[in-house]
Amino acid sequence: MGFEQVRRKLEAGERLVIVGYGDSWTYGSCADGWEEARAAGYDRELITGSWIVQLQRYCAVRSAHVEVHNAGQGGWTAARGADHFDELVGRLQPDLVLLNFGINDWRHRVPLADYRRTMESLVERIRLLGSDCVLWTSGPVSSMRGETHEWDDPVDDREFPHPFAAYNETIRDIARERGLTLADAERAILADTEFVRSKGAWFLDAIHFLQPGHDRIFRCIRETLQL
């Protein structure tokens, strides 16, 4: 199903299922409501500002029949996402999956070839569901091997086998080679005038943004989908 069909279903009030699948950036870490959610045992229902919650609200205004599910899991690598794909994504029979893993693969030093193979397998499993897949890039991160972005405690990745940028480049390569839509949120953030102006003020830690990051990811995904 193409995005034209997604938009048609929204306009016609037909049932439409969208699933966000990924790590803490999809789960909603560090967005508005995050501290309350963590205090309540990581209750994601208390997170109010994440990009996917914003997408839920945006779609709900357009149609009462759209379902946006948050299947993000903090700390997960792509391989762990693959292990739980059927229970968290497949059972929902989505029309559209917004897919991103990579930060934890980088942090856990997963070989780039293994990461690529797992992401390609996830894309194929989404295709077999009859669903569209949109890949998106997270970050930027603050690292000693890359850029600190004026954050005072960057990840010391000098002995990591790959910089974080290599994982995002892998996502871009997969999207290009398979003809998939890419929401390049990392590049959108790097070009955002507010980020350029304040940089370090966006970070809660070296790999998570506060609310402005979620706002910019939401806008990137919404604009990419032309919703």
Side-chain angles (χ1 to χ4, degrees), residues 9-199:
K9 281 195 167 190
L10 276 172
E11 295 296 338
E14 298 178 19
R15 183 173 184 265
L16 172 68
V17 179
I18 300 172
V19 177
Y21 197 41
D23 50 40
S24 57
W25 267 112
T26 299
Y27 174 81
S29 293
C30 308
D32 288 350
W34 162 247
E35 292 297 337
E36 292 84 350
R38 184 166 60 176
Y42 295 98
D43 181 357
R44 74 180 67 209
E45 297 302 316
L46 297 177
I47 299 173
T48 59
S50 67
W51 69 264
I52 196 162
V53 169
Q54 294 185 59
L55 183 64
Q56 287 170 339
R57 289 197 295 260
Y58 181 82
C59 290
V61 171
R62 303 285 299 276
S63 170
H65 303 285
V66 63
E67 302 173 17
V68 179
H69 297 272
N70 182 354
Q73 305 292 328
W76 279 21
T77 61
R80 193 165 182 192
D83 288 342
H84 295 272
F85 178 84
D86 290 339
E87 67 186 86
L88 293 178
V89 179
R91 67 176 181 81
L92 297 170
Q93 290 297 298
D95 298 300
L96 175 64
V97 178
L98 307 171
L99 178 66
N100 171 275
F101 287 97
I103 281 181
N104 296 300
D105 295 83
W106 168 66
R107 291 176 62 217
H108 292 290
R109 310 185 190 194
V110 173
L112 206 58
D114 292 349
Y115 169 71
R116 181 188 182 104
R117 188 160 43 247
T118 304
M119 289 295 288
E120 289 179 328
S121 75
L122 283 167
V123 167
E124 179 63 15
R125 290 167 76 176
I126 291 167
R127 186 192 67 81
L128 290 173
L129 291 174
S131 172
D132 265 351
C133 177
V134 170
L135 293 171
W136 66 276
T137 57
S138 57
V141 300
S142 173
S143 72
M144 297 181 71
R145 188 174 179 181
E147 294 188 43
T148 66
H149 299 293
E150 300 175 7
W151 178 248
D152 60 6
D153 189 22
V155 175
D156 185 353
D157 61 338
R158 288 172 294 184
E159 295 185 6
F160 286 19
H162 310 285
F164 176 69
Y167 294 84
N168 272 348
E169 282 304 316
T170 298
I171 289 176
R172 295 182 183 108
D173 287 345
I174 293 171
R176 182 169 51 251
E177 292 166 9
R178 292 177 172 258
L180 299 174
T181 297
L182 173 72
D184 205 337
E186 183 196 40
R187 286 180 175 166
I189 289 170
L190 286 170
D192 189 285
T193 55
E194 289 301 317
F195 178 76
V196 172
R197 183 179 299 118
S198 55
K199 289 188 178 180

